[in-house]
Amino acid sequence: DPNEDTEWNDTLRHFGILPPKEKTKDEIEEMVLHLQKEAEKPYERMNLEELKEAEDDFDEADRKAIEMYRQQRLKEWKCLQRMQKYGELREICGEQYVKEVTNAPDDVWVIIHLYRSSIPMCLLVNEHLSLLARKFPEVKFLKAVVNSCIQNYHDTCLPTILVYKTGEIKGRFIGVAACGGIYLRVEELEWKLAEVGAIETDLEENPRKDIMNMMTLSVQNISAHKATNTQSSDVMKPHIT
């Protein structure tokens, strides 16, 4: 048996008379693991603090690779920190407004919705903002019952969405029409907030563009239909001399 593990077969393999013995599955897996360990750089198992302490132990090529690796780990860490920062639509009252909104950190965008729960459009906006808060956890999303912030605020001004940065209002959407209408979709609200710079959207174009195009087409069709009917009526009218 050429595959039998004997001294004679080993001798024949040594002189090329028999082909090399095929490796078993376990031997192949062991070899792959060994190669993976050899290819793995020691600094890839280190955290940022360990990298700094061991920096002098590496050569110049490794130091350049370490610096790139450190920047990558730092970027991942900052991303994780941002992800854990906010991530929800939080309720506040008027007494917290200055602390949570006006005095928020300078590098944080704040979006606050002043609402009344008796107004359906306000409830819709709250639903959309809850979704956007999870999608953009680095942005502070807040909501507040309007009476706790502003007394005698008129219902026609609701919903009211205010966008803050460095203690200043950077954008405002006051009333149903400004907020996008009663059929507002979350993508449309996302686009509005992106236009004022509060979020970095992955939408490539205004999602309301399709609706506007359909409305324009409908108006054109109605106008064309009216023109056709007018011409038909003119043809049918008796010619009086």
Side-chain angles (χ1 to χ4, degrees):
D1 183 0
N3 292 320
E4 191 176 358
D5 194 10
T6 63
E7 187 176 346
W8 173 245
N9 282 349
D10 287 343
T11 303
L12 294 177
R13 290 190 193 98
H14 177 73
F15 287 102
I17 298 172
L18 287 179
K21 183 183 176 182
E22 293 183 0
K23 293 184 180 294
T24 65
K25 184 179 179 181
D26 290 340
E27 288 175 326
I28 293 172
E29 289 178 353
E30 185 178 347
M31 183 176 67
V32 169
L33 287 173
H34 178 70
L35 291 172
Q36 286 177 341
K37 286 182 179 179
E38 283 188 343
E40 186 182 51
K41 299 291 185 181
Y43 55 76
E44 292 178 352
R45 300 189 298 271
M46 297 180 179
N47 58 36
L48 292 174
E49 186 177 345
E50 290 170 339
L51 281 173
K52 189 167 183 63
E53 291 177 355
E55 190 172 9
D56 293 336
D57 298 335
F58 298 104
D59 58 27
E60 185 63 26
D62 275 342
R63 285 198 192 99
K64 290 181 180 179
I66 287 170
E67 182 57 29
M68 292 177 62
Y69 184 67
R70 180 190 286 130
Q71 292 301 323
Q72 178 186 344
R73 292 293 299 273
L74 192 60
K75 186 177 180 181
E76 291 170 355
W77 178 77
K78 286 182 177 179
C79 182
L80 182 62
Q81 288 293 103
R82 288 197 310 168
M83 291 291 288
Q84 295 173 343
K85 199 166 189 179
Y86 302 113
E88 64 177 351
L89 177 63
R90 192 158 51 86
E91 180 101 29
I92 66 168
C93 63
E95 294 176 354
Q96 300 169 291
Y97 198 98
V98 173
K99 177 185 175 183
E100 296 287 348
V101 181
T102 312
N103 292 342
D106 288 346
D107 63 338
V108 174
W109 284 89
V110 182
I111 297 168
I112 182 164
H113 174 213
L114 304 180
Y115 75 100
R116 281 198 182 98
S117 57
S118 59
I119 298 178
M121 180 67 183
C122 288
L123 300 181
L124 178 64
V125 169
N126 277 341
E127 287 180 12
H128 290 345
L129 290 178
S130 292
L131 295 174
L132 293 175
R134 290 195 288 272
K135 184 174 181 180
F136 303 98
E138 70 278 10
V139 177
K140 183 189 281 192
F141 285 84
L142 303 171
K143 62 179 179 177
V145 175
V146 67
N147 287 348
S148 72
C149 303
I150 308 172
Q151 293 297 320
N152 303 318
Y153 198 67
H154 206 281
D155 282 1
T156 56
C157 297
L158 296 175
T160 290
I161 301 173
L162 302 176
V163 182
Y164 280 80
K165 180 79 182 292
T166 62
E168 298 178 356
I169 294 180
K170 302 296 183 181
R172 66 188 80 199
F173 307 96
I174 300 174
V176 173
C179 287
I182 60 173
Y183 300 110
L184 176 70
R185 294 180 296 164
V186 65
E187 295 85 3
E188 294 167 21
L189 183 54
E190 178 178 337
W191 186 266
K192 283 178 175 292
L193 296 175
E195 282 187 317
V196 298
I199 57 178
E200 295 182 7
T201 182
D202 54 4
L203 299 174
E204 295 182 356
E205 61 178 14
N206 188 347
R208 198 168 180 80
K209 181 180 177 182
D210 294 337
I211 298 176
M212 298 303 295
N213 288 342
M214 290 176 62
M215 291 174 63
T216 301
L217 186 61
S218 297
V219 170
Q220 290 174 346
N221 288 340
I222 292 171
S223 299
H225 183 67
K226 285 183 177 178
T228 301
N229 287 344
T230 301
Q231 290 175 359
S232 299
S233 299
D234 291 342
V235 170
M236 298 294 295
K237 285 179 182 178
H239 182 64
I240 301 175
T241 57

